[in-house]
Amino acid sequence: MDSKDPEFFLLGDLPRSFQDHVTRTLADYSVALGFCSKGTRDIKFFGSGVLVKKDDHYGIMTAHHCLHDKYSNFKDGSFNGNRLAIAFKRAHMVFPPEILVEHQLGVPRRKGDEPDLTFVEICECSQLSTLRSVNSFWSLDKNPFDVKPAFGRVEMPFCVNGYPGDYHEKIRENRTIRQNLRHMSYFYVHGSETFSALDEWDYVEAKDKKGDGLASSFKGMSGGPVWGLRIKKGSDKHFELKQACLIGINISQIELGQDEISVRAHFIHSIYDVAWRKIQWRSPGIVVPSIS
């Protein structure tokens, strides 16, 4: 990966049209997560995720707490339990639990604890083939020691993506219920204070002032991706997205007083290395103890 020094510019220099272009480009990997009870078609959306592959296993990486919220009743590899739904672009898919396998990569002991990471594998089936034909899966078979200098250094830009609940909308049209979800990107620059580590896991934080177009809450963005960006600035103030790389997974929001909010995410070494060190690939219906 190219690890040249980043070009310098102010976030305020980025035109809205460029930000929208980046959001559309990265939407190829993002999904909104939801579930529907057996026997119903009503989908309840509760979080975000990103389509990834690891060692030829395809699925969704997200925050562990998203799937284990009291409303989701997620039971992988079973013919019972709720079905997992994902929304992307202008379509959605619903997966029966018997074709899913959850690999719990970082299990919080209590609500709000860390690590907080899981991977829902979609087994080989026609639905996976369809999903692969219309969406992109980011490969996590990269060396984090290559990713970090190329996308995770101080003064480099990054963005936090997902589907904030503030923008979820149900519209009833006669007997039809249509759900509008909005894929959002929030742009930041790494500072030395944004990085932290605990045990083997590393983290990154994005701090923002409330208001000025920011959602009142990042609820719904948990599990969504954080992308490192390499942006080229032309002499005519034209900006070009040269490269993007997955560098994190959103796990929580932190209130910093009355007018500031912070989004906290697992960072590069967590998602490319640490999370997978004890992975036990398995088939549906075979129970393996959770890994903490």
Side-chain angles (χ1 to χ4, degrees), residues 206-231:
K207 297 180 180 180
D208 216 328
K209 295 289 185 181
K210 294 181 181 179
D212 297 326
L214 188 70
S216 63
S217 167
F218 284 109
K219 183 178 180 181
M221 293 189 68
S222 286
V226 179
W227 294 95
L229 308 172
R230 296 195 72 90
I231 299 171

Side-chain angles (χ1 to χ4, degrees), residues 74-78 80 97-103 120 282 284-285:
F74 181 74
K75 296 179 180 178
D76 66 326
S78 167
N80 298 308
E98 59 266 25
I99 66 170
L100 304 174
V101 182
E102 183 189 9
H103 304 282
V120 181
R282 59 186 176 90

Side-chain angles (χ1 to χ4, degrees), residues 15-289:
R16 173 56 61 182
S17 59
F18 175 78
Q19 295 181 40
D20 291 343
H21 165 69
V22 173
T23 301
R24 288 192 298 271
T25 300
L26 299 178
D28 286 343
Y29 300 93
S30 290
V31 294
L33 296 178
F35 70 92
C36 53
S37 302
K38 192 172 184 179
T40 73
R41 300 176 63 183
D42 183 31
I43 300 175
K44 296 179 174 62
F45 288 98
F46 58 83
S48 302
V50 58
L51 297 172
V52 299
K53 64 178 289 289
K54 177 71 175 178
D55 297 339
D56 294 322
H57 296 263
Y58 291 81
I60 304 158
M61 179 172 268
T62 185
H64 182 276
H65 78 264
C66 283
L67 284 187
H68 298 277
D69 180 272
K70 62 182 179 181
Y71 300 111
S72 61
N73 189 28
F74 181 74
K75 296 179 180 178
D76 66 326
S78 167
F79 287 92
N80 298 308
N82 295 329
R83 293 169 293 164
L84 181 68
I86 63 171
F88 49 91
K89 297 178 181 176
R90 296 180 181 177
H92 77 277
M93 297 181 71
V94 178
F95 298 95
E98 59 266 25
I99 66 170
L100 304 174
V101 182
E102 183 189 9
H103 304 282
Q104 300 188 40
L105 306 174
V107 182
R109 290 181 174 85
R110 295 179 302 274
K111 185 176 180 179
D113 277 1
E114 298 167 347
D116 185 0
L117 202 60
T118 199
F119 173 62
V120 181
E121 181 180 359
I122 306 169
C123 298
E124 287 292 340
C125 60
S126 59
Q127 286 170 292
L128 176 59
S129 298
T130 300
L131 185 61
R132 289 175 61 182
S133 70
V134 296
N135 282 71
S136 300
F137 285 75
W138 184 264
S139 175
L140 290 173
D141 298 321
K142 295 177 172 61
N143 187 333
F145 291 99
D146 293 332
V147 174
K148 189 160 186 177
F151 292 93
R153 289 183 290 155
V154 171
E155 295 186 353
M156 298 187 99
F158 67 103
C159 65
V160 177
N161 285 23
Y163 295 82
D166 275 8
Y167 300 107
H168 291 188
E169 181 183 23
K170 278 189 178 183
I171 300 175
R172 294 183 179 273
E173 298 174 342
N174 298 321
R175 296 184 179 181
T176 301
I177 298 177
R178 180 163 54 89
Q179 297 206 47
N180 288 340
L181 306 174
R182 192 172 175 184
H183 179 248
M184 301 290 290
S185 296
Y186 300 97
F187 292 79
Y188 305 90
V189 171
H190 289 303
S192 58
E193 75 284 355
T194 64
F195 307 121
S196 63
L198 181 62
D199 298 325
E200 297 178 297
W201 301 88
D202 60 345
Y203 302 89
V204 63
E205 287 189 30
K207 297 180 180 180
D208 216 328
K209 295 289 185 181
K210 294 181 181 179
D212 297 326
L214 188 70
S216 63
S217 167
F218 284 109
K219 183 178 180 181
M221 293 189 68
S222 286
V226 179
W227 294 95
L229 308 172
R230 296 195 72 90
I231 299 171
K232 181 176 179 61
K233 179 183 178 182
S235 57
D236 58 351
K237 294 188 178 180
H238 172 75
F239 290 86
E240 180 184 359
L241 178 63
K242 301 297 292 184
Q243 287 181 295
C245 183
L246 183 66
I247 60 170
I249 298 292
N250 307 326
I251 57 174
S252 64
Q253 67 173 25
I254 304 169
E255 297 284 341
L256 302 172
Q258 294 183 342
D259 61 350
E260 193 172 21
I261 191 170
S262 172
V263 177
R264 185 166 170 84
H266 277 297
F267 198 38
I268 293 170
H269 282 279
S270 293
I271 66 171
Y272 284 95
D273 177 29
V274 178
W276 305 98
R277 289 180 184 173
K278 297 180 182 179
I279 188 68
Q280 299 180 54
W281 297 118
R282 59 186 176 90
S283 301
I286 300 176
V287 178
V288 175

